[in-house]
Amino acid sequence: MTMVVRPVAEADRDLVAGLITSAWGTTVMAAHGELYDAADQPGLLALADGDPAGVLTYRRDGDAWEITTLQALRPGVGAGTALLDAIAVAASGAGARRIWLITTNDNTHALRFYQRRGYDLVAVHRDAVTRARQALKPEIPLEDDGIPIRHELELELLLR
């Protein structure tokens, strides 16, 4: 299998919106006290033998790039890792100091995935999801896999 990662093109926008919606139910995300549309952000698309295998969206904030969504469509084929590698190369080439992201306290799979790839847990934003559910996005689930969803966990990868 051949894995290729390339920037999301304008012609890919409907595909990206569909992929994000199929994974999250919407393209509108809530994190660190704000709502944003992940489908409107720059992104990377992973293709396995020409077929979509994963998507990553991000936003730039000075010398820090935030990963806003990461979705592997076919877990276990390396799309997520390829996307993380590609964003690190792009961010480093643009002079970024770090890449960071938010996940939630219930997402143990993501915590393992990111930590195995060099990302460090740097902050716990207690009850941030609870506040977002109350003020911004009431449809955020209350729990997943029996774990109450309450906190945002911030992970980062230092590039320099």
Side-chain angles (χ1 to χ4, degrees):
M1 173 177 44
T2 302
M3 184 73 62
V4 174
V5 175
R6 64 169 175 77
V8 169
E10 196 56 40
D12 300 320
R13 287 291 164 192
D14 288 342
L15 170 65
V16 168
L19 296 174
I20 294 170
T21 300
S22 71
W24 303 102
T26 180
T27 61
V28 177
M29 304 294 158
H32 33 82
E34 66 177 298
L35 289 176
Y36 56 88
D37 191 335
D40 289 341
Q41 298 176 333
L44 299 171
L45 191 60
L47 303 168
D49 293 334
D51 294 324
V55 63
L56 178 151
T57 61
Y58 64 95
R59 54 186 176 176
R60 300 175 192 181
D61 183 15
D63 67 351
W65 287 27
E66 178 188 6
I67 295 171
T68 54
T69 64
L70 175 60
Q71 179 64 31
L73 305 175
R74 295 168 39 191
V77 300
T81 298
L83 288 163
L84 288 182
D85 290 346
I87 194 75
V89 168
S92 182
R97 183 182 60 82
R98 74 181 191 127
I99 300 171
W100 67 286
L101 61 96
I102 295 287
T103 192
T104 51
N105 64 280
D106 65 298
N107 199 343
T108 58
H109 177 76
L111 287 170
R112 282 191 308 274
F113 175 78
Y114 290 119
Q115 290 180 85
R116 288 178 177 159
R117 284 149 187 88
Y119 285 73
D120 289 324
L121 180 63
V122 295
V124 175
H125 304 284
R126 291 186 55 81
D127 294 313
V129 179
T130 303
R131 287 190 300 277
R133 189 181 298 112
Q134 292 168 347
L136 299 171
K137 193 174 174 187
E139 64 270 23
I140 297 172
L142 293 172
E143 69 172 42
D144 187 34
D145 197 26
I147 301 171
I149 304 171
R150 299 189 320 236
H151 314 300
E152 291 180 348
L153 307 180
E154 183 176 333
L155 294 101
E156 75 174 3
L157 177 71
L158 297 178
L159 298 172
R160 298 188 214 165

